[in-house]
Amino acid sequence: MTEDVRTVEWAGDGLRLLDQTVLPGRVEHVVVRDVGGLVDAIRRLVVRGAPALGVAGAFGVAVALLQAEREGWDGAARDAAIARIREARPTAVNLAAGVDRAVPLVPKGVDAVVAEAQALLDEDVRGNRAIGAFGAHWIAARTPDRPLRVLTHCNAGALATAGWGTALGVVRELHGRGRVETVYVDETRPLLQGARLTAWELVRAGIPCLVQADGAAPGAILRGLVDVAVIGADRIAANGDTANKVGSLGVALACAAAGVPLVVAAPWSTVDLALPSGDGIPIEERAADEVLAWGGVRTAPDGAGAFNPAFDVTPARLVTALVTEAGALEVAKGETPGAARPTG
């Protein structure tokens, strides 16, 4: 089962990452033992997903400490290397939070940093299980009493976390209760995290799924083929505005038009209370080749440029519920993260 697949784990002298760039064709791991290698792995999406990035960031501090010791860095060089990890991807707040959690342990040495990072990993798995239970309960209480047709965008499963998953954790919990008919999996252009990763996880878990083009999602929702949409998040503002993989906003707009619940599933660490609204969420823009070429072959004509934001922001008014490990908030009704933490 996918929960046994570890995306991130400490290898004694480095960080062992499941290489998500080669899935589903191959299952391979990369061991990074230096800061440059970790930053590259984060930017190339070898490791991805906000919760997994948080864990990788915490362990990354240990990677930096070991490299500093090997190469005789002074404190300033070490701190600059840690900052490089922290800033490797700007939108996912968990990456910075994971680094920040481990940094106070630096004076105590590598073992203390590794122990704190492992604690974060374990907490993420436990939290994901709670998200799954809260989310399944919320959805089951508000949808028809039959197996449901669920839509999801991008990948927010075990591959995006330390284990089990957030949005897919909710789907897996529903499946365990006999409440899933099928899952519509948006392919998630341009890097196909849905088609490559989410579908891989669902097939391994024995959950029926249908991969569809991103552009098919609004039509499926408006045709009445979807009972609920469940997505993850990379950063959530205090008012409930939610940044997730680009294309999520189109799903949210279609759900609002059709009266279909849109559920955002994410750990509380993804909430950035320092940001009043989504206007302040930095949106990562990625390389042009991701949309101008495929498999190294250019598909757009020479002279064409590219607009390639990795994320979009869904306004809080379109978020029916935000589910964290602490419970559910009905954001569209005014239960915002900045007002109060959920109680269950």
Side-chain angles (χ1 to χ4, degrees), residues 35-321:
V35 170
L38 179 55
V39 170
D40 177 68
I42 291 170
R43 290 178 175 165
R44 288 195 303 110
L45 309 186
V46 170
V47 59
R48 44 149 298 280
L53 287 172
V55 175
F59 279 121
V61 175
V63 170
L65 290 182
L66 288 174
Q67 186 175 3
E69 183 179 327
R70 289 195 310 269
E71 300 182 11
W73 294 349
D74 61 17
R78 178 202 65 206
D79 293 346
I82 292 172
R84 284 183 63 202
I85 298 170
R86 190 181 189 277
E87 297 161 6
R89 294 195 71 192
T91 303
V93 70
N94 301 63
L95 175 58
V99 171
D100 292 347
R101 174 163 167 171
V103 163
L105 280 299
V106 165
K108 296 185 177 181
V110 172
D111 289 346
V113 170
V114 169
E116 190 66 19
Q118 183 63 45
L120 176 59
L121 186 157
D122 295 338
E123 288 170 17
D124 186 59
V125 175
R126 291 194 300 272
N128 291 341
R129 290 281 188 170
I131 290 170
F134 281 124
H137 177 76
W138 189 93
I139 291 168
R142 292 162 178 83
T143 52
D145 186 15
R146 55 168 170 75
L148 301 172
R149 300 156 304 168
V150 183
L151 183 145
T152 191
H153 187 80
C154 196
N155 173 263
L159 292 173
T161 67
W164 188 248
T166 53
L168 279 196
V170 174
V171 174
R172 294 171 73 178
E173 179 70 23
L174 285 169
H175 174 68
R177 301 181 185 188
R179 293 298 305 276
V180 175
E181 177 183 317
T182 194
V183 180
Y184 286 90
V185 179
D186 289 359
E187 61 176 355
T188 319
R189 287 282 300 153
L191 298 180
L192 305 181
Q193 291 98 326
R196 294 190 303 106
L197 306 178
T198 296
W200 184 74
E201 290 200 49
L202 291 170
V203 168
R204 285 172 59 89
I207 302 174
C209 62
L210 298 168
V211 175
Q212 64 182 357
D214 292 357
I221 293 166
L222 288 170
R223 286 174 60 192
L225 301 179
V226 174
D227 297 304
V228 62
V230 188
I231 63 173
D234 284 79
R235 191 180 297 221
I236 301 166
N239 71 339
D241 291 351
T242 296
N244 192 51
K245 182 57 59 182
V246 67
S248 299
L249 177 55
V251 170
L253 289 166
C255 284
V260 169
L262 174 73
V263 177
V264 174
W268 188 258
S269 58
T270 303
V271 175
D272 187 351
L273 294 177
L275 288 180
S277 75
D279 292 341
I281 297 176
I283 302 298
E284 175 187 1
E285 292 200 24
R286 295 183 58 80
D289 282 352
E290 289 182 356
V291 293
L292 298 180
W294 182 250
V297 178
R298 190 174 176 93
T299 54
D302 291 340
F307 176 56
N308 187 20
F311 305 94
D312 55 26
V313 176
T314 296
R317 67 179 183 276
L318 303 179
V319 177
T320 314

Side-chain angles (χ1 to χ4, degrees), residues 18-29 196-197 200:
L18 178 64
D19 188 350
Q20 299 189 36
T21 67
V22 299
L23 286 170
R26 304 191 305 277
V27 178
E28 296 180 356
H29 291 83
R196 294 190 303 106
L197 306 178
W200 184 74

